[in-house]
Amino acid sequence: MGVFTVLTRCILQPLSVVDDELVPKVGMTFTTLEDAGKFYRNYAKAAGFSTRVRCTNRKGNEIKNQLITCSREGKWKSKISPTEKTNPTAGLNCPARIYIHTLKDVGAWIISKVVLDHSHPCCPSKAEMLKQHRELSMSIRRTIENNEEAGIRPSKTYQSFVATAGGHRELNFIEKDVRNYITREVRNIPSKLNGYKGHADIEQEMSQVVWNSHSKDSFNRNWNDFLLNFGLGDNKWLSGNVFLKSASEVEQAERESDAADFHTVIPCATKSCIEAQFQDAYTHAKFREVQAQFRGKANCITRLKNSALGYSVYEVGEQVSSSIFNKFAVTYDSVAAEVKCHCLLFESRGILCRHALSVLSFEQVSQVSPRYILERWSKKVKRRHTHIKSSHDEPLMEPRSKRFDQLVFRSQNICEFASESEELTGILHRAYDNVMAEMEALKAKRKGTSSLSHEDANLESVNELQSPPRIRTRGRPKNRLGSKLEKQIANATKKKKTKVLSEINLFDAASAAHSNCSQYQGHVMSYQFRVPAAGDNSLGV
């Protein structure tokens, strides 16, 4: 069974999860071609895929029609041999597309053809990780530029965005986008190195280290060698440029890796159906290890030693040099669909060895038993740590600070949109003035009703001011330390409350008797009671 067949079986229908208003339909019209393309991109993000412009037909300088397809359309053929190619490819002959052409008479654009079906699964939750749907807003770019000028590392800049937004999932870009923007647009590097002799060679070597290091360990090793070779160990700015990954950064890296596993495919090195089985199941990182065994199978010679009742013993000779062969004993049980090699690679690393694969090929086995496809390396496995709350999920800050950060983060998009013209800026200024006036009026209204008026100063209002409820504790409460003192305080408080309530009743009676007196204007009287702490001798109101 080929990988195309496997993927076709697990196609997800985007229509089941996307609002009907977002789904493109034949006959939809748009004012401009850009509006039509934006509409299809928004649908793609909601459905879980990305798009690209496949072709554009022109007549002179005018565009007549345009074909926009799923980014996994087509099947690009690499010049590199399949046995040597290990980089993933996204092409999968996906038929999803829309066809747009102009209506010359009315000056509009219309969708004349729509194909919604895909040849691959679509995952809306992973769409935000696709390059097309990632972007840096104006406020984000300005912050990156300011932080870079201040010498703040890109990783710290990105983490500040994560903390402000409340987590990685709240951002529509990744750390790589921040680094790429700095490399392409900011270019702070010449100013840091112009004082060194041969700074052009330094910049070139630095670029090689940054772009050709494929892991944290290799980068640290290459970076340290770079500093040593050019005598830059004393440069604080360069010596501080080391990738440090926290737990949340590791989670984000795994999310990016998951997205790559889902949206791209590493081509098979052989025609083996078993390799296609692992290709469909395993992550890119693990499938590369499996592919190394399939390539090594070419150096193996398989010879049947004996066989009885479906149980066979093979001798596999592996050529390790021009004249040296290493021999391995491999057994195969056709009834139990079990293969074992005495090199014990599967037992130690969980990967079928090239010797076992050679025997399976000799036996013409097209599918391996599920026991040889381990779930922990499956691209469909659900990571548990992604459901563990991190420090970004619930920031440890007072509610006002939390509300402030949320307002600032949301207002950035509004400010960016309004800055496009003077008219939009004026609209936003007027809206700010109206909102400020409304908020001030509401605040003043609440402030006026917050104090206790004369009409509300009755016994019922006073009774609402209660002490916190008592909580029973374990042990023997009668003999608790300080219980005698607490009783004395409670009795004194009770007497004082009785005295105050009597004064209130007298006050109400006097108010009723002198209601016609012009000298009395109904002054507001507010009483605040507190529970005295142990050792407080005042016991006053």
Side-chain angles (χ1 to χ4, degrees):
M1 182 185 301
V3 65
F4 185 84
T5 305
V6 175
L7 287 173
T8 305
R9 287 185 176 179
C10 58
I11 291 177
L12 304 180
Q13 294 297 332
L15 291 175
S16 62
V17 295
V18 179
D19 293 339
D20 186 65
E21 296 178 354
L22 296 177
V23 179
K25 302 178 181 67
V26 174
M28 282 186 168
T29 58
F30 302 89
T31 306
T32 64
L33 180 62
E34 290 74 17
D35 291 340
K38 184 178 180 180
F39 175 82
Y40 193 49
R41 287 194 298 272
N42 291 337
Y43 163 73
K45 185 175 182 179
F49 67 99
S50 59
T51 67
R52 67 174 177 178
V53 177
R54 183 66 177 85
C55 64
T56 302
N57 294 326
R58 302 174 182 268
K59 186 176 182 181
N61 294 329
E62 295 184 359
I63 298 178
K64 294 299 181 181
N65 51 65
Q66 190 173 84
L67 175 63
I68 307 178
T69 68
C70 172
S71 60
R72 305 191 72 175
E73 180 267 346
K75 192 72 172 180
W76 182 72
K77 294 183 179 180
S78 174
K79 296 180 181 179
I80 304 175
S81 171
T83 59
E84 300 176 358
K85 182 175 174 60
T86 59
N87 292 334
T89 179
L92 209 61
N93 289 326
C94 183
R97 62 191 61 205
I98 64 170
Y99 185 78
I100 313 167
H101 69 82
T102 182
L103 295 174
K104 187 175 182 180
D105 297 336
V106 296
W109 296 82
I110 187 171
I111 298 179
S112 59
K113 183 178 180 180
V114 177
V115 179
L116 298 178
D117 293 333
H118 294 263
S119 64
H120 56 89
C122 294
C123 185
S125 63
K126 291 184 172 63
E128 61 184 8
M129 304 304 299
L130 297 176
K131 185 177 181 180
Q132 183 184 56
H133 304 311
R134 306 196 310 257
E135 59 180 352
L136 299 177
S137 65
M138 178 185 294
S139 60
I140 294 296
R141 296 196 300 270
R142 290 291 300 124
T143 303
I144 294 173
E145 294 168 3
N146 293 334
N147 287 3
E148 186 66 16
E149 184 66 23
I152 300 175
R153 295 199 304 268
S155 60
K156 295 297 183 183
T157 297
Y158 178 72
Q159 287 304 316
S160 70
F161 293 140
V162 173
T164 302
H168 293 282
R169 298 178 182 275
E170 304 303 321
L171 296 177
N172 58 348
F173 60 93
I174 61 178
E175 184 176 342
K176 182 179 179 181
D177 298 324
V178 176
R179 295 184 180 276
N180 289 345
Y181 179 74
I182 293 174
T183 303
R184 292 193 307 265
E185 306 295 337
V186 181
R187 303 185 184 278
N188 61 312
I189 292 178
S191 62
K192 300 284 186 180
L193 302 176
N194 282 341
Y196 289 93
K197 184 179 180 180
H199 62 84
D201 295 334
I202 295 176
E203 293 177 25
Q204 183 177 2
E205 183 63 22
M206 180 189 298
S207 178
Q208 292 291 329
V209 171
V210 171
W211 294 110
N212 294 333
S213 300
H214 303 292
S215 67
K216 177 183 175 182
D217 293 336
S218 65
F219 174 82
N220 289 336
R221 183 173 58 255
N222 296 338
W223 187 263
N224 291 333
D225 293 341
F226 159 72
L227 296 179
L228 183 63
N229 294 337
F230 287 93
L232 300 174
D234 296 332
N235 188 302
K236 295 182 179 180
W237 180 77
L238 290 175
S239 60
N241 261 320
V242 179
F243 295 159
L244 301 176
K245 290 188 178 289
S246 63
S248 61
E249 290 174 314
V250 171
E251 176 190 348
Q252 177 66 4
E254 290 181 347
R255 289 184 63 231
E256 296 173 18
S257 178
D258 288 346
D261 293 338
F262 192 86
H263 291 285
T264 61
V265 176
I266 295 179
C268 289
T270 68
K271 301 297 182 181
S272 170
C273 295
I274 297 178
E275 184 184 4
Q277 189 180 2
F278 283 106
Q279 178 198 48
D280 178 59
Y282 275 1
T283 63
H284 286 0
K286 208 63 190 177
F287 181 60
R288 285 191 177 97
E289 296 182 34
V290 174
Q291 262 193 342
Q293 299 302 317
F294 276 95
R295 290 191 177 95
K297 188 181 69 170
N299 299 321
C300 296
I301 300 176
T302 304
R303 182 183 296 110
L304 178 63
K305 300 293 290 185
N306 55 70
S307 177
L309 300 178
Y311 186 85
S312 305
V313 179
Y314 288 88
E315 180 184 84
V316 178
E318 181 184 4
Q319 186 174 10
V320 295
S321 68
S322 59
S323 58
I324 300 177
F325 284 79
N326 291 337
K327 295 182 179 180
F328 299 88
V330 181
T331 60
Y332 177 69
D333 187 342
S334 60
V335 178
E338 184 178 20
V339 62
K340 287 185 178 181
C341 178
H342 83 259
C343 76
L344 301 178
L345 183 66
F346 180 78
E347 287 74 11
S348 61
R349 293 175 52 193
I351 301 175
L352 282 177
C353 64
R354 48 194 172 275
H355 321 117
L357 293 174
S358 181
V359 169
L360 292 176
S361 178
F362 190 90
E363 291 277 351
Q364 297 183 353
V365 177
S366 60
Q367 295 281 299
V368 296
S369 171
R371 72 165 67 95
Y372 298 113
I373 301 178
L374 304 185
E375 185 180 5
R376 63 177 176 270
W377 292 319
S378 170
K379 65 176 68 175
K380 301 178 181 66
V381 71
K382 204 169 187 179
R383 300 185 187 276
R384 293 183 178 179
H385 67 76
T386 57
H387 301 285
I388 300 176
K389 290 188 177 181
S390 66
S391 59
H392 301 303
D393 294 333
E394 296 181 359
L396 299 177
M397 60 176 67
E398 59 177 333
R400 182 175 182 180
S401 298
K402 184 177 181 180
R403 292 194 297 269
F404 176 82
D405 286 348
Q406 291 173 344
L407 290 171
V408 169
F409 189 74
R410 291 196 63 184
S411 64
Q412 292 172 350
N413 294 330
I414 300 176
C415 294
E416 179 177 354
F417 184 81
S419 65
E420 293 180 358
S421 67
E422 290 292 339
E423 291 79 8
L424 293 176
T425 302
I427 292 175
L428 183 59
H429 280 307
R430 290 192 294 272
Y432 275 147
D433 294 338
N434 294 335
V435 171
M436 180 60 70
E438 183 179 354
M439 291 191 298
E440 288 177 346
L442 179 61
K443 188 175 181 180
K445 181 179 179 182
R446 289 184 175 180
K447 184 177 181 181
T449 58
S450 61
S451 58
L452 191 63
S453 63
H454 169 65
E455 288 77 12
D456 294 331
N458 51 32
L459 183 61
E460 183 179 355
S461 303
V462 175
N463 286 339
E464 290 179 357
L465 302 174
Q466 300 177 355
S467 302
R470 285 192 177 184
I471 300 176
R472 293 190 61 183
T473 58
R474 300 177 65 182
R476 301 177 63 186
K478 290 185 178 180
N479 296 331
R480 285 188 307 153
L481 183 62
S483 60
K484 184 177 181 180
L485 178 61
E486 290 179 356
K487 288 181 179 180
Q488 292 175 352
I489 294 173
N491 291 334
T493 304
K494 185 176 181 181
K495 292 179 181 179
K496 200 67 177 180
K497 280 188 177 182
T498 304
K499 181 179 178 181
V500 171
L501 294 177
S502 299
E503 291 177 356
I504 292 177
N505 293 332
L506 290 174
F507 170 77
D508 290 338
S511 298
H514 298 85
S515 60
N516 297 325
C517 182
S518 60
Q519 296 180 353
Y520 179 69
Q521 301 298 329
H523 298 288
V524 175
M525 299 183 66
S526 299
Y527 295 91
Q528 295 181 349
F529 299 100
R530 64 184 177 89
V531 179
D536 189 350
N537 295 324
S538 62
L539 298 177
V541 179

